[in-house]
Amino acid sequence: MELHNRLAVMYSSRLIELECRLKEMLLPNEASRPFLCEGSPLDCTVAIIGINPATTTPFWPHWRSGIGFERQSWLSAHQAGQGNKRNQTRPRIELLVSQLKPLRCLELNLYPYSSRSEAVLAPHLRSAEVFNYLLSLVQPKLLFVFGNTPIKALAATVSAAALPKNQFTSCTYQGHSFQVFATSHLSRGWSMQRVAELGQKLREHVQNDG
């Protein structure tokens, strides 16, 4: 029991350290979302990577210091803030996350700052510092990246000549090896059936690999 308690304290300390680092890196007056997950990000197996958040639903009200993130409460706030607006990407990500279970997913973006579209994101907000930090800290087994901009940026980060779409590519970052699956943006040309099949494919690949 004493060992269990010490390990729990150490794990909680790592989450508090993560919180402090994020608050140091993120610009305080800019709407941002460093990641999404359920509970602790530290033991997530799959990272889902896009370009940047499209909405301004705040992150910190749903973060519990030393414990982790309350994803369901964030989703409720996000849906309430959307009103009648239709977001093509969010329902597909939710379906993908559900199909990947029991694997735990960490949603990341190349840039953590919110904008209506990539095109209007200010140059000073195009920093991948938070992304690189989380990638090196969490060390997921599989990175699922969608959209041309994050694919190109991730290829440069992992020193890959290219990340071909719709196939698994072995990569390394800061001594950590993982698989990358790159594909087109989820907001265009993706039926829900196709997303469900993709989720099953990714899950089976991770489970068979390890």
Side-chain angles (χ1 to χ4, degrees):
M1 180 63 70
E2 182 179 350
L3 176 60
H4 179 271
N5 290 339
R6 287 205 304 268
L7 291 175
V9 169
M10 290 174 60
Y11 195 85
S12 179
S13 297
R14 291 182 65 198
L15 289 174
I16 293 172
E17 181 181 356
L18 164 66
E19 175 184 343
C20 292
R21 288 288 290 120
L22 289 177
K23 288 181 176 179
E24 289 173 357
M25 289 186 285
L26 292 168
L27 298 174
N29 296 320
E30 299 287 350
S32 64
R33 190 182 80 209
F35 63 84
L36 290 180
C37 69
E38 184 60 53
S40 169
L42 298 178
D43 52 3
C44 288
T45 305
V46 179
I48 299 173
I49 302 167
I51 180 63
N52 76 301
T55 59
T56 58
T57 308
F59 172 86
W60 293 111
H62 310 282
W63 173 259
R64 300 296 174 258
S65 187
I67 299 174
F69 191 72
E70 294 184 348
R71 188 173 188 274
Q72 291 304 314
S73 70
W74 181 91
L75 282 172
S76 296
H78 170 75
Q79 291 165 358
Q82 286 290 96
N84 294 323
K85 297 178 184 177
R86 295 187 62 186
N87 184 308
Q88 298 294 327
T89 306
R90 175 51 50 189
R92 286 160 174 77
I93 290 177
E94 293 306 308
L95 178 58
L96 186 65
V97 170
S98 70
Q99 291 297 318
L100 281 162
K101 290 179 179 178
L103 304 180
R104 300 190 62 249
C105 296
L106 178 69
E107 287 185 50
L108 297 175
N109 284 289
L110 180 62
Y111 310 128
Y113 301 102
S114 303
S115 67
R116 295 188 308 276
S117 68
E118 175 190 348
V120 301
L121 184 66
H124 73 283
L125 300 180
R126 295 174 182 265
S127 169
E129 180 184 22
V130 169
F131 172 79
N132 292 337
Y133 167 68
L134 290 168
L135 182 60
S136 64
L137 179 69
V138 178
Q139 299 186 347
K141 292 182 179 180
L142 173 67
L143 274 58
F144 169 74
V145 55
F146 62 96
N148 290 333
T149 300
I151 289 173
K152 291 178 181 177
L154 183 60
T157 298
V158 300
S159 300
L163 293 173
K165 289 182 179 178
N166 303 315
Q167 69 181 57
F168 294 96
T169 304
S170 297
C171 298
T172 303
Y173 179 68
Q174 294 188 353
H176 168 58
S177 298
F178 49 84
Q179 296 277 303
V180 175
F181 191 93
T183 194
S184 58
H185 201 285
L186 293 178
S187 66
R188 296 179 291 276
W190 284 87
S191 68
M192 299 303 274
Q193 178 63 32
R194 186 182 171 201
V195 173
E197 292 171 354
L198 173 65
Q200 294 170 11
K201 177 179 180 178
L202 298 178
R203 183 188 71 239
E204 290 171 1
H205 182 83
V206 174
Q207 291 174 329
N208 292 338
D209 191 50

